[in-house]
Amino acid sequence: MSKKKLNYRFHNPNPDSQTANYILKVFLESNRPKVENAVQQAAQEVQAEEGTEHETIIRAM
């Protein structure tokens, strides 16, 4: 007896942009801790760079 191959088809009446926004929202919600951590690390790196630039400017004066 041969196995029957299953075919799935989904009807999506929404425009592509709306579907993409929905998928992005789901991914962000499911990975919220990772996203928050990445944003915090990026902000800390920017602050560290700005602090270094500020110190360099003060020393040059």
Side-chain angles (χ1 to χ4, degrees):
M1 190 178 235
S2 65
K3 291 186 178 182
K4 189 173 188 179
K5 184 178 177 180
L6 297 177
N7 289 321
Y8 293 99
R9 294 181 189 203
F10 296 94
H11 174 69
N12 184 5
N14 299 319
D16 291 341
S17 61
Q18 189 176 7
T19 301
N21 285 335
Y22 178 74
I23 291 172
L24 177 63
K25 182 179 174 182
V26 169
F27 286 157
L28 286 175
E29 286 179 14
S30 64
N31 292 312
R32 181 173 299 223
K34 288 181 183 179
V35 171
E36 289 175 352
N37 189 21
V39 169
Q40 287 177 352
Q41 285 181 347
Q44 289 172 353
E45 290 175 6
V46 168
Q47 287 177 348
E49 289 175 4
E50 287 177 353
T52 305
E53 289 175 6
H54 181 68
E55 291 172 5
T56 304
I57 292 171
I58 291 175
R59 288 182 195 156
M61 295 175 136

